[in-house]
Amino acid sequence: MTGFVTESINPYQAPLEDSLDNTAKPSPRAVIPSRLEFEGELTLEDIKQAVQQAGLRTEYRGTTRVLYGLVVLYSLPLIGAMLVARLPPSGGIRYLLALAIFAVGAITMSIRNRWILATLIPENQLGFGRVKGWLDATSLHCQYEHFTTRVKMSQLISTAAGDNVWVLNFTREQFHWTTLPYRLFSEPESARTVAEDLRQLYPPVVAQAMDERKFEPPTDPPLFEAAESAVHYDGTLLERSVKGTRFQAASRRLVWGTWATVVVFFVCVIASLVTLMGFQQVYVAAAVFWLIFFVVLTWSRTRAARRKARGSEGPAVWHSKGWLDDSGFCSMTVLGQSWMQWAFFDHVEITENVIAMYPHPGDSCCCLVGRNQFVDDRQWHAAQEIARRNLARDR
């Protein structure tokens, strides 16, 4: 939709081959008979409900259920053995300690997963506050205070319909989505009916590591008007352009934190087995095997994603075009178009190869435009000057 990302390859995400082909699904025209208009206040709690209550990110509940299910399955034979064997106090304490260690690992991993999906990603969404717009069979148009976006309904990946909110997701990574509480619609019941019908056609799916559509160049005419002094860009943003930015550092911290949680889980598994059965090589070897298997599997998925994103100049992030002028920044991708006034951004970071514009005080979400996307260095330096002049709050 726009040049915003929040995270690198996530070990919780599904393999690329699990991705669903959206082109095989019916057109939204089948269930959206007319334009639905909305206007009102969108809150962070509304956006969190997209995951927690509407169930957009299926792994929010799925991973938690699996982990807690493992704790239950692990505890049943231990508790059964304690009751049948009538263990002495020392033996019972050992069994309970082994169970507690295993539970600590599972709970730690569950808490990390829920924090990412229910707190971090919702807080990095782009639309908060006052919003108005409309949705029809061809596009979704949202206008916030300093941010306007329009996406094509033909690019819809999934929807979720909860008791209070309707959620539309246009990217396979599912880092950003559009939340529309029913109370904002001029005809709430009509919106609720369309939301449920559309959910049947585009139900929630597991997030993917990469959305290959973003590598296609946008071909639609611009919806927004550039000033005569605007500096235009067009091309593929390269992964290497992001090196050295605060965004890259924030992404790495997030990924390494997730990996550390995974390691804690497997260490707890090994420690639990050692506590329960002593240092028997067969059990420790089995736990180490599964740890290595998980690491190799995730590494291979990361390599596969990077191969798919690799072009003649190296791995790509997306293809985008647009412009910068003194009124704001325009980003166009194959998914849709967005216009952001400079007041939308909190701070800017300019390096040798990229202009990174951050909409939030944190660094885990940003809009990027690379040096290689400009026709020459004169245009690149002019774009830098526009960003500096209009967003001088760099930290």
Side-chain angles (χ1 to χ4, degrees):
M1 181 162 56
T2 62
F4 292 86
V5 283
T6 54
E7 191 177 351
S8 302
I9 300 297
N10 187 335
Y12 296 136
Q13 289 175 321
L16 292 174
E17 56 268 25
D18 289 349
S19 180
L20 300 178
D21 183 5
N22 194 49
T23 60
K25 295 185 177 182
S27 168
R29 293 179 182 272
V31 296
I32 306 179
S34 61
R35 175 180 290 199
L36 298 172
E37 298 184 351
F38 52 86
E39 182 174 2
E41 193 76 14
L42 179 66
T43 68
L44 177 58
E45 185 58 33
D46 293 326
I47 294 175
K48 288 185 176 182
Q49 285 190 31
V51 175
Q52 297 172 313
Q53 188 252 338
L56 176 68
R57 293 294 296 258
T58 58
E59 63 269 47
Y60 174 74
R61 294 191 181 99
T63 304
T64 300
R65 288 171 179 170
V66 168
L67 290 170
Y68 289 170
L70 288 175
V71 174
V72 172
L73 291 175
Y74 192 82
S75 65
L76 289 178
L78 295 185
I79 295 174
M82 290 172 60
L83 295 176
V84 172
R86 296 183 179 179
L87 298 175
S90 59
I93 292 174
R94 180 164 54 88
Y95 273 40
L96 291 175
L97 180 59
L99 176 58
I101 294 173
F102 184 88
V104 166
I107 292 172
T108 299
M109 196 167 179
S110 175
I111 291 174
R112 175 72 180 184
N113 180 55
R114 292 171 69 90
W115 173 75
I116 291 175
L117 297 175
T119 301
L120 179 66
I121 294 180
E123 288 180 351
N124 279 281
Q125 297 302 301
L126 306 179
F128 290 97
R130 195 74 183 175
V131 59
K132 66 177 180 178
W134 46 262
L135 178 148
D136 61 19
T138 60
S139 60
L140 168 64
H141 180 93
C142 296
Q143 182 177 338
Y144 304 91
E145 184 179 5
H146 302 296
F147 169 54
T148 302
T149 182
R150 186 180 295 183
V151 289
K152 297 184 289 187
M153 291 299 294
S154 60
Q155 301 292 345
L156 184 65
I157 293 296
S158 62
T159 65
D163 295 334
N164 304 311
V165 298
W166 180 11
V167 191
L168 298 101
N169 167 57
F170 294 86
T171 64
R172 289 194 168 98
E173 302 98 334
Q174 299 188 61
F175 292 148
H176 295 94
W177 55 78
T178 301
T179 303
L180 299 173
Y182 297 123
R183 68 177 185 275
L184 304 189
F185 286 89
S186 57
E187 300 180 6
E189 290 308 314
S190 296
R192 191 182 297 271
T193 299
V194 172
E196 182 57 33
D197 291 342
L198 202 61
R199 188 188 65 82
Q200 299 295 327
L201 297 179
Y202 298 85
V205 295
V206 176
Q208 301 299 306
M210 184 179 64
D211 192 338
E212 296 179 30
R213 299 172 302 165
K214 294 194 298 186
F215 302 135
E216 302 172 13
T219 57
D220 293 336
L223 300 173
F224 309 98
E225 185 176 352
E228 291 186 6
S229 59
V231 177
H232 293 260
Y233 67 92
D234 186 357
T236 300
L237 176 68
L238 301 176
E239 187 179 286
R240 68 167 183 259
S241 298
V242 188
K243 289 184 178 179
T245 61
R246 293 198 292 263
F247 167 72
Q248 184 191 48
S251 298
R252 285 180 173 175
R253 287 194 299 271
L254 180 60
V255 172
W256 281 112
T258 301
W259 274 109
T261 304
V262 171
V263 170
V264 167
F265 172 72
F266 280 101
V267 167
C268 286
V269 171
I270 296 173
S272 177
L273 292 174
V274 171
T275 301
L276 184 64
M277 302 174 180
F279 194 83
Q280 298 185 33
Q281 293 182 353
V282 63
Y283 299 112
V284 176
V288 171
F289 167 80
W290 284 111
L291 174 59
I292 294 174
F293 173 79
F294 183 87
V295 172
V296 172
L297 176 65
T298 305
W299 176 82
S300 65
R301 286 173 47 203
T302 304
R303 292 278 296 178
R306 291 176 63 83
R307 282 197 301 270
K308 288 180 179 290
R310 180 173 291 278
S312 58
E313 298 181 89
V317 181
W318 57 64
H319 190 118
S320 63
K321 69 178 182 180
W323 63 85
L324 300 86
D325 60 30
D326 285 328
S327 60
F329 170 76
C330 180
S331 175
M332 304 166 58
T333 72
V334 72
L335 304 184
Q337 304 182 26
S338 296
W339 170 252
M340 291 139 276
Q341 299 176 15
W342 291 113
F344 175 73
F345 298 106
D346 180 82
H347 57 288
V348 64
E349 178 185 20
I350 299 175
T351 70
E352 182 180 352
N353 295 307
V354 74
I355 300 172
M357 294 159 282
Y358 299 82
H360 303 298
D363 297 329
S364 57
C365 175
C366 73
C367 180
L368 301 159
V369 57
R371 182 174 187 168
N372 67 294
Q373 294 180 275
F374 294 89
V375 294
D376 54 36
D377 280 350
R378 184 179 67 83
Q379 293 289 293
W380 163 245
H381 292 304
Q384 287 181 311
E385 178 57 30
I386 290 174
R388 287 195 183 99
R389 182 168 64 245
N390 291 281
L391 191 51
R393 289 169 290 169
D394 192 15
R395 293 182 301 188

